[in-house]
Amino acid sequence: MILQRYLLGSALGAAFLASSVLAQSGAPENLLPPEPEKGTEPLPDSSRSQAPAKQPRQSVDEAFGDIRTVQGEVVQPVPSLVGDWSLDTARKLLSFIPGVAEEGLRPADYPTEALRAAIAAGEGEALDRIASETFVWLVEDLRDGRTPAEARRQWFVVDPDPDTNPTHVLLAEALASGDVAGTLSGLNPVSPDYAKLKQELAITKDPARAKLIRANMDRWRWLGQDLGRQYLLTNVPEYQLRLTVNNRIIKNYRVVVGKPGRTATPQLAEMVEAVIFNPTWTVPQSIVKGEGLGAKVLGNPAWAKAAGYKGIKGSDGVVYVVQQPGPTNSLGLMKLDMPNEHAIFLHDTPARHLFNQDNRALSHGCIRVQGARELAITMSMLGNAQTKDDLPLIQQEVSEITASGVYTRYPMAKQWPVYITYFTMGVDVDGNLTKFADIYDRDAPVLAALDAPRQSNRSRTSNEEVIEIIDDLQT
């Protein structure tokens, strides 16, 4: 059982969940999800007919309330973003604004003088309008990030925070509780990496460094406020993949990422749905036809067989080539299945010597992982084990699957989030705050946006071209 020995030698496998956390915290911690609570309420008896209670008849206006129909459409009222501000809550809002500098934002972006004048004029419509507008701007910048979508190059993550913490709800909560500062401060990212950037911003004297820190603090706000209890995260400029549980890096892996240009790796937030062992690779036509692989496969069957390629010529005259599972397969022995329109995934590679290079921006966009077999088996266990007793059984099963050489899709009952990010200043896998090379030149538009006037009504999604990524035979 080669793979079993491999896992045991890496302190993973059946001992992975227990020993890795013990080594970092000194106390045992169960990384498996708790058993769901069993329901105690009796189910309704569908064998008996239960006539509904008779309701009084209502008019159309009574039934629909404030909802109106126009030409068959149902229109719901837009939540109000203007609240009733007392002088006390408005003063709390005014006093909060200077502190946003600690979060990497500019106090000058918010109408401090107009708010102060409205407070001086007393309660009323003018104060409600300017205070509400100021509060909304602060929510948008603290929750979603100040950088507009067009400055976030190849950023395709949809931030869930505006849906989980809607602006109108936050406004109502702040006015009802009077805790304006608490409501706004509660929007900051909870990652320890963000906290370290904030600490460094407070002490740095270098304006250029401070600006880079601010840009990367804003990048954290582009993501969900809380990435979850366990996830995979790749920071592309660091060339590292982290397996993170409870804010601890349990294991990290070197990675190869996309070359600069059209094949640069985009920034995504997806879900790993399955592990594919012994994958096949359907070669894209840009290689089959553009690089002559199809003609080579059909013209030299002996070479094609040795290289693991099977090719057919369709009735339409198009040659289709599929590389079969095996040690020379371009995807290696595994890939993590994370469906997305970019065709990006994490996979193994036969070109393992590339992991020894410092500059590992070498692929056509997909992320190649050193130690991919270990990662595949670990994900299979973490994604399916109900108890620790399941771990050796799953390990045995997937080890046999790998050894079989047969293409197998191994679903994960518990899917894992995976984040592909781009931080040029951040905490490295050793816990040190580090500056990383801007390999795709994505800093410049973000830095420019920090100096430009604040934009309102910003889009939540990118309008950049989606480039379907392919891996090639060159690297």
Side-chain angles (χ1 to χ4, degrees), residues 82 157 177 240 367 438:
V82 177
V157 178
S177 66
Q240 290 279 355
I367 297 173
D438 181 16

Side-chain angles (χ1 to χ4, degrees), residues 7-341:
L7 281 173
L8 290 172
S10 308
L12 290 175
F16 171 81
L17 295 179
S19 63
S20 58
V21 177
L22 278 171
Q24 299 188 49
S25 66
E29 181 175 350
N30 182 12
L31 303 187
L32 294 173
E35 293 290 337
E37 296 182 2
K38 296 181 179 180
T40 58
E41 296 183 3
L43 296 174
D45 187 352
S46 60
S47 64
R48 300 181 182 179
S49 60
Q50 296 179 348
K54 189 173 182 179
Q55 300 292 331
R57 299 189 64 179
Q58 294 177 305
S59 68
V60 172
D61 285 344
E62 289 173 333
F64 285 89
D66 291 334
I67 300 176
R68 296 290 180 263
T69 58
V70 179
Q71 295 181 350
E73 295 181 357
V74 176
V75 180
Q76 295 187 0
V78 176
S80 174
L81 294 181
V82 177
D84 298 324
W85 288 79
S86 68
L87 291 177
D88 180 57
T89 52
R91 291 189 185 104
K92 290 177 180 177
L93 177 64
L94 182 64
S95 65
F96 178 84
I97 293 174
V100 300
E102 299 175 6
E103 307 299 334
L105 300 178
R106 296 192 312 181
D109 283 336
Y110 311 101
T112 304
E113 293 307 316
L115 178 58
R116 183 176 288 112
I119 292 172
E123 296 179 4
E125 182 178 340
L127 178 62
D128 294 342
R129 178 183 55 79
I130 191 64
S132 297
E133 181 180 68
T134 305
F135 182 88
V136 168
W137 286 7
L138 287 164
V139 166
E140 291 174 348
D141 293 352
L142 289 166
R143 182 191 61 194
D144 312 330
R146 186 185 178 280
T147 309
E150 58 267 25
R152 306 179 187 188
R153 299 288 169 80
Q154 287 294 293
W155 177 264
F156 297 98
V157 178
V158 177
D159 183 358
D161 294 339
D163 300 317
T164 56
N165 279 311
T167 304
H168 71 281
V169 172
L170 294 169
L171 176 61
E173 289 177 351
L175 293 177
S177 66
D179 187 9
V180 175
T183 301
L184 292 171
S185 298
L187 300 174
N188 294 329
V190 299
S191 169
D193 292 31
Y194 177 86
K196 283 201 174 184
L197 286 168
K198 181 177 177 178
Q199 292 170 2
E200 182 67 16
L201 180 64
I203 62 174
T204 187
K205 304 299 182 183
D206 182 353
R209 181 176 175 84
K211 192 172 177 183
L212 185 62
I213 293 171
R214 291 174 57 215
N216 284 279
M217 291 175 71
D218 209 49
R219 283 180 167 127
W220 275 107
R221 289 189 281 263
W222 306 352
L223 293 163
Q225 182 187 26
D226 188 347
L227 300 188
R229 180 172 169 267
Q230 47 197 27
Y231 55 86
L232 295 169
L233 184 145
T234 292
N235 182 26
V236 170
E238 187 184 10
Y239 305 123
Q240 290 279 355
L241 170 69
R242 314 171 184 205
L243 193 163
T244 304
V245 177
N246 293 335
N247 289 323
R248 298 188 184 96
I249 300 176
I250 303 302
K251 182 71 177 180
N252 63 280
Y253 305 85
R254 287 188 166 207
V255 297
V256 170
V257 301
K259 292 177 286 189
R262 280 184 64 83
T263 57
T265 301
Q267 297 144 99
L268 306 172
E270 305 294 343
M271 296 297 291
V272 179
E273 297 182 357
V275 182
I276 295 179
F277 294 94
N278 307 309
T280 59
W281 180 45
T282 300
V283 186
Q285 287 300 309
S286 60
I287 296 174
V288 173
K289 184 177 180 180
E291 299 183 15
L293 178 65
K296 186 175 183 180
V297 167
L298 296 182
N300 192 338
W303 174 86
K305 182 177 181 180
Y309 291 107
K310 288 185 178 180
I312 61 170
K313 190 171 186 178
S315 58
D316 55 0
V318 177
V319 177
Y320 300 92
V321 177
V322 176
Q323 191 177 29
Q324 303 303 300
T328 62
N329 186 283
S330 293
L331 305 183
L333 299 177
M334 62 72 69
K335 76 172 185 177
L336 297 186
D337 192 14
M338 38 185 279
N340 60 87
E341 61 182 342

